[in-house]
Amino acid sequence: EAGVAQSPRYKIIEKRQSVAFWCNPISGHATLYWYQQILGQGPKLLIQFQNNGVVDDSQLPKDRFSAERLKGVDSTLKIQPAKLEDSAVYLCASSSLQLSGNTIYFGEGSWLTVV
Amino acid sequence: AQSVTQLGSHVSVSEGALVLLRCNYSSSVPPYLFWYVQYPNQGLQLLLKYTTGATLVKGINGFEAEFKKSETSFHLTKPSAHMSDAAEYFCAVSGYSSARQLTFGSGTQLTVLP
């Protein structure tokens, strides 16, 4: 079974530039998450989707971050304009109550460096 | 509200020695508890989880953890460390609400010495 796919794996941009990350969840998983993991810290939830609707985006910095999941499958996370403190790993994850119970599966992450 | 505290950001053990990584949680509802492992430049891989039932849970790679409600703990153990166990370990908690969100601890970096 294919896992959660993310791209690009690595990205280096200058501050004030924009970047977009893409995620394709495990097939059939209705719930999709984006987490931010800063070096030396645990992952922090940015946004959670159920199908194409937002369940929780309370920790998403909406002045610069946006995310969408238009068709309820893959998702894009965008940062514009980027700040130095946005340097982190952006982890996409997915789950399905029917297919995976309460287990959340993670992708390998997209590593962002802002210089 | 939920939170996780992992005691010790760095733990070193000798190969063949007992591994003990500590996790304490706070939750206003009965928790689901998880341990994930992260190898360098990789994502998070589920080691084991506790939802209901038996409080001692076994996971992959010889790891196990015991849910102790009275101590609000979910410590991770392995009887004999292997060099390949060197990685970062994250404890996480979620409630059984429909949201099913994970709240992570800050992680413990495990070093295995030859």
Side-chain angles (χ1 to χ4, degrees):
Chain A
E1 178 185 276
V4 178
Q6 292 188 243
S7 67
R9 287 294 316 278
Y10 305 95
K11 191 74 175 180
I12 300 174
I13 62 172
E14 295 182 350
K15 59 183 179 184
R16 292 187 290 276
Q17 287 187 327
S18 63
V19 63
F21 301 114
W22 173 83
C23 171
N24 190 35
I26 293 173
S27 178
H29 281 197
T31 309
L32 185 147
Y33 312 79
W34 283 101
Y35 281 83
Q36 180 193 55
Q37 185 180 13
I38 294 173
L39 186 65
Q41 299 180 19
K44 181 187 78 172
L45 179 69
L46 291 176
I47 189 167
Q48 178 184 354
F49 292 94
Q50 181 70 20
N51 296 309
N52 59 354
V54 175
V55 173
D56 185 352
D57 63 356
S58 58
Q59 297 192 82
L60 186 74
K62 298 180 185 65
D63 58 334
R64 298 182 300 105
F65 286 65
S66 65
E68 59 183 16
R69 193 184 185 198
L70 293 176
K71 297 182 179 179
V73 180
D74 55 354
S75 174
T76 302
L77 176 71
K78 297 180 181 178
I79 308 173
Q80 181 179 16
K83 292 185 174 182
L84 296 177
E85 58 261 36
D86 298 332
S87 295
V89 182
Y90 292 87
L91 294 164
C92 182
S94 71
S95 71
S96 163
L97 190 59
Q98 292 78 25
L99 300 176
S100 69
N102 37 50
T103 299
I104 298 174
Y105 294 92
F106 285 82
E108 292 195 326
S110 292
W111 300 68
L112 174 65
T113 301
V114 183
V115 297
Chain B
Q2 297 160 323
S3 66
V4 174
T5 301
Q6 291 185 240
L7 298 176
S9 58
H10 291 84
V11 170
S12 293
V13 300
S14 298
E15 191 173 19
L18 171 72
V19 175
L20 171 60
L21 304 182
R22 300 179 185 276
C23 172
N24 288 91
Y25 70 90
S26 172
S27 177
S28 56
V29 297
Y32 292 163
L33 295 158
F34 305 79
W35 276 99
Y36 283 83
V37 61
Q38 187 174 38
Y39 297 101
N41 298 327
Q42 295 188 24
L44 298 169
Q45 180 183 2
L46 181 67
L47 272 180
L48 51 78
K49 63 181 180 181
Y50 167 79
T51 54
T52 58
T55 56
L56 180 64
V57 294
K58 296 184 184 298
I60 61 172
N61 303 337
F63 284 93
E64 62 182 37
E66 186 171 10
F67 169 58
K68 292 186 176 181
K69 183 178 179 180
S70 61
E71 299 177 7
T72 61
S73 69
F74 191 57
H75 301 331
L76 181 70
T77 61
K78 182 175 180 178
S80 177
H82 191 272
M83 297 296 288
S84 61
D85 295 327
E88 187 142 27
Y89 292 80
F90 292 94
C91 182
V93 63
S94 76
Y96 53 68
S97 69
S98 59
R100 291 193 325 279
Q101 297 174 1
L102 289 172
T103 299
F104 285 87
S106 55
T108 298
Q109 181 68 46
L110 176 66
T111 301
V112 182
L113 304 171

